[in-house]
Amino acid sequence: MSTETAALEELGLRPGASEAEIKAAWRKLVSRWHPDRNASRAAVEKMQRINQAFELLRGAGAAAAPVRPAEPAAPAAAPSPPPARKAPAGEAARPLSRRIKLTLEEAALGCLRVLRGQVAQGCTACAGQGLRWPGGACASCEGRGEVRQRAWYGWLATTATCEDCGGDGRARERCAPCEGSGKLPPRRYELKVRIPPGVRDGDLLGVPAGRAEASPEGGVDLHIELQPHAFFTLDDDGTVRCEMPVDGFSWLGGRSVEVPTLEGTQPLALRHGECVYRLRGQGFPASRRGARADLVVTVMPIFPQPLSTDQQILLDRLIATTASASTGPLADWQRRLRARVAADAPADPPLKAARRRTSRA
């Protein structure tokens, strides 16, 4: 808005308009184009141009040109109060956003959660503005939006924005239901939400409105957050992995140990020489409500270092039981080894001479 002429055209006025005409035109356009009353997309831009034009004319003193002789100003007709702001047709209320933390077990198997909280409510009586417009012009400024203030000497006066109407010239009063805050007391809600099996970290679950009597109007958006687990790690394909130490002697003896799963602990039979075990269907669902993947358990045999005296005695006894065996691969190996050693050992000289005489005879 660069010139006074353009500003007057924006307000629908001709050159030479008085200050009262400028204010009346501005109030009329505001009552029509204010976003509280006009839901069109052009309303915001139109209001910006209207305000720029009004400020330009006030700052340039355009209203001081042909000012009519002082006359008793008639109260300007106040525009009707803005209606309550409503969501455009077809636009649903915004959902309430909540973050919910789940353990890996809850996410894998599904669970039931109870959500409790409070929802802030805007005052419908005043459209959340805290004020009501009963109609008519402001009594303090008689609809002009400004009041005259006398200086110390009485003959000099200035104008100031009317505090009772905020400068718009309309009579207003504090809203009684919300006591001028624009908000009603928060409303409590309680929702029971069933989490389906297979949700992942970062998933978004939508809970529609109307699930409970006091549920939020736009429903609830649940943002899933998986907590780190003490025993398990989760792969993208749903495989759950667990690494655990086991007693080395139990591993050698093929004993059973208790291993953790997503549904509790269960026995696992160890096999000597094997450290990785796959439990079919004990992992995480590969997709939401899909079949469960596997649980992979990796055992780490732990042997005492160093061995105690009792353990060394027991080991010696165990070794003796295998060394005294007369059959088996170990016994066969020991016989072959002794025979080889005996064949490679050098003979005594007298024994060699006796062997030569015997061979000559």
Side-chain angles (χ1 to χ4, degrees):
M1 198 69 60
S2 59
T3 64
E4 296 179 12
T5 303
L8 290 170
E9 292 179 354
E10 185 67 39
L11 296 181
L13 299 173
R14 295 180 180 180
S18 66
E19 181 180 2
E21 290 174 341
I22 292 174
K23 291 181 179 179
W26 173 75
R27 284 195 293 267
K28 182 178 179 181
L29 291 173
V30 167
S31 65
R32 176 183 175 186
W33 289 101
H34 196 282
D36 285 345
R37 305 193 64 185
N38 194 322
S40 64
R41 296 183 178 179
V44 176
E45 297 180 1
K46 181 67 174 177
M47 275 299 304
Q48 292 177 353
R49 295 198 302 269
I50 292 171
N51 289 331
Q52 289 175 2
F54 182 67
E55 293 298 331
L56 177 62
L57 293 175
R58 292 186 64 184
V67 178
R68 297 183 178 86
E71 298 177 356
S80 58
R85 302 184 67 177
K86 297 181 180 179
E91 181 181 346
R94 295 181 59 182
L96 179 67
S97 181
R98 287 285 304 266
R99 184 173 299 275
I100 182 171
K101 295 183 179 181
L102 300 176
T103 64
L104 193 63
E105 291 86 349
E106 291 174 331
L109 306 176
C111 62
L112 183 65
R113 281 298 186 88
V114 179
L115 304 180
R116 298 181 179 90
Q118 296 181 348
V119 179
Q121 302 180 88
C123 180
T124 57
C126 64
Q129 300 181 25
L131 297 173
R132 300 184 66 181
W133 287 263
C138 174
S140 300
C141 65
E142 298 180 349
R144 292 189 298 268
E146 294 179 344
V147 293
R148 298 179 64 83
Q149 295 180 341
R150 293 188 178 275
W152 292 347
Y153 299 102
W155 53 270
L156 183 63
T158 60
T159 60
T161 302
C162 178
E163 297 182 356
D164 292 340
C165 65
D168 64 1
R170 296 177 297 172
R172 62 182 183 179
E173 60 185 13
R174 190 177 67 166
C175 178
C178 65
E179 298 181 349
S181 65
K183 296 181 179 180
L184 297 177
R187 175 167 49 91
R188 296 183 177 274
Y189 69 89
E190 180 175 320
L191 291 174
K192 292 183 178 180
V193 180
R194 183 167 296 279
I195 307 298
V199 294
R200 297 291 186 110
D201 187 76
D203 282 358
L204 179 64
L205 300 180
V207 181
R211 296 287 298 272
E213 182 178 354
S215 61
E217 295 180 0
V220 181
D221 282 347
L222 295 181
H223 299 266
I224 302 299
E225 179 179 339
L226 291 187
Q227 296 177 330
H229 202 280
F231 303 139
F232 304 127
T233 58
L234 177 62
D235 293 348
D236 293 338
D237 62 354
T239 301
V240 176
R241 300 185 181 275
C242 175
E243 293 185 358
M244 57 175 292
V246 295
D247 180 70
F249 297 119
S250 298
W251 178 70
L252 289 175
R255 299 299 189 265
S256 294
V257 295
E258 292 289 326
V259 298
T261 69
L262 294 176
E263 300 178 80
T265 60
Q266 70 177 47
L268 173 67
L270 300 176
R271 294 181 291 272
H272 178 224
E274 187 172 345
C275 293
V276 180
Y277 303 85
R278 182 176 292 270
L279 305 182
R280 302 290 180 182
Q282 296 291 318
F284 199 89
S287 60
R288 194 177 297 179
R289 295 189 177 91
R292 294 174 61 181
D294 299 337
L295 169 62
V296 177
V297 180
T298 302
V299 299
M300 298 174 290
I302 304 298
F303 294 93
Q305 294 292 340
L307 296 177
S308 65
T309 303
D310 292 340
Q311 289 171 338
Q312 290 178 352
I313 293 174
L314 293 175
L315 278 179
D316 291 339
R317 291 180 181 178
L318 183 62
I319 293 171
T321 58
T322 57
S324 60
S326 59
T327 59
L330 180 59
D332 180 62
W333 166 259
Q334 291 176 346
R335 284 193 297 269
R336 291 167 55 193
L337 181 61
R338 287 194 296 268
R340 181 68 179 180
V341 171
D344 293 342
D348 295 335
L351 181 58
K352 290 182 179 180
R355 289 178 177 176
R356 285 197 295 271
R357 289 195 296 269
T358 303
S359 60
R360 290 173 184 174

